[in-house]
Amino acid sequence: MKIFGKRELRQQDSVSTELPQGPSADQIVLATQIRALEERLARRHSSSEKEIRVLLRGAADVATQTGDVEKGKELLRQAQAAFDQSLQTVNRNWYLFALLMGVVGVALVGAGVTWLTSSRFPGLASPDTILALFTFAGMGSVTSVLIRLTSLDLKAELSRKFVIYLAIAKPLVAVSFASIVYVILKNHIITFGQWSGESERAVFWVAAFLCGFSERFASDILGRAIPSYSSHRNSPR
């Protein structure tokens, strides 16, 4: 019984073998796991693809030809680890690239908002204030990603589009939070610490940076300004 059919990949690259007559449950399970990993490998190209396929072939051969399922599982674990490491690296690279795209998007949005406020809503905020808010919020989001890039866990994400969307959204969320926090602080809806009028603008910029650096900071500010928001956020679902 053939456990792997033809794929769009070259036939010689496809992991294919024959199960023995009356295969054990462990052999069937292992064959299924090998096929599942090959499916994931086909969806996302890996720089370690040749190595992974060699390990998958070895896992299939040792389990079906010698009957040693445990050694087959060990080779499968090595193949999975190699795939995870390769996918992790690729996803982190795409995440960082998309984050920079998001920052460019924030700059364009900032330019548009600046034009609207100066021409249509002049009393909302000065153009300098808006540009500074967006700049510091963007800096905070980029800094946050850079210091934890090596610990960013993306090895289970097969969708490159989702990784890109996730990264692009981060600076956009940061400027949204920074704008709301600015309104809260500017209108003294809540206060924290002590500052004079001379240092007020510095407090706004630091708050904007922290909104990009930590979404929890912005959530805490909103929770203090709108208690119902905090209770809703912390309520069990």
Side-chain angles (χ1 to χ4, degrees):
M1 182 177 68
K2 212 168 194 177
I3 62 173
F4 303 117
K6 293 182 179 180
R7 297 190 49 78
E8 295 178 357
L9 300 171
R10 298 192 306 271
Q11 186 173 2
Q12 62 267 31
D13 288 338
S14 181
V15 178
S16 179
T17 189
E18 298 282 339
L19 281 172
Q21 293 295 326
S24 67
D26 287 341
Q27 288 175 319
I28 295 175
V29 169
L30 181 61
T32 302
Q33 292 172 334
I34 292 173
R35 182 175 181 180
L37 181 54
E38 190 184 21
E39 291 285 343
R40 293 195 292 274
L41 186 60
R43 288 182 58 188
R44 290 295 301 271
H45 173 73
S46 169
S47 59
S48 304
E49 182 172 350
K50 291 184 179 180
E51 173 193 353
I52 295 170
R53 290 193 180 280
V54 168
L55 290 169
L56 289 178
R57 290 192 189 99
D61 290 345
V62 76
T64 58
Q65 296 179 20
T66 70
D68 195 335
V69 176
E70 290 304 316
K71 288 186 177 179
K73 289 181 179 179
E74 176 59 31
L75 289 174
L76 176 60
R77 283 192 290 269
Q78 293 179 27
Q80 183 68 61
F83 177 76
D84 289 346
Q85 182 61 43
S86 175
L87 187 62
Q88 180 87 289
T89 301
V90 172
N91 281 344
R92 285 175 179 173
N93 288 336
W94 275 104
Y95 188 93
L96 187 58
F97 173 72
L99 178 71
L100 298 179
M101 292 173 57
V103 171
V104 173
V106 164
L108 295 176
V109 171
V113 172
T114 300
W115 177 82
L116 283 175
T117 54
S118 60
S119 61
R120 302 295 179 87
F121 308 101
L124 186 61
S126 67
D128 291 344
T129 298
I130 294 173
L131 290 177
L133 280 175
F134 278 45
T135 298
F136 279 95
M139 288 171 54
S141 62
V142 171
T143 302
S144 174
V145 171
L146 290 178
I147 65 174
R148 62 186 183 90
L149 185 61
T150 57
S151 61
L152 195 63
D153 189 2
L154 296 171
K155 64 178 178 293
E157 186 51 63
L158 291 176
S159 174
R160 181 176 297 171
K161 289 182 179 180
F162 180 77
V163 172
I164 293 174
Y165 297 154
L166 192 67
I168 290 177
K170 186 171 178 61
L172 296 175
V173 171
V175 298
S176 298
F177 273 137
S179 300
I180 297 300
V181 169
Y182 169 78
V183 173
I184 291 173
L185 297 180
K186 180 67 175 178
N187 293 276
H188 303 287
I189 297 175
I190 68 168
T191 59
F192 59 92
Q194 295 180 354
W195 68 81
S196 62
E198 297 178 353
S199 60
E200 182 183 58
R201 289 170 65 85
V203 172
F204 296 154
W205 309 155
V206 171
F209 179 88
L210 291 176
C211 285
F213 188 80
S214 172
E215 293 178 5
R216 182 175 179 179
F217 170 81
S219 298
D220 289 343
I221 295 295
L222 290 176
R224 292 175 59 185
I226 311 171
S228 59
Y229 170 83
S230 179
S231 59
H232 172 73
R233 184 168 61 92
N234 296 323
S235 62
R237 301 190 178 213

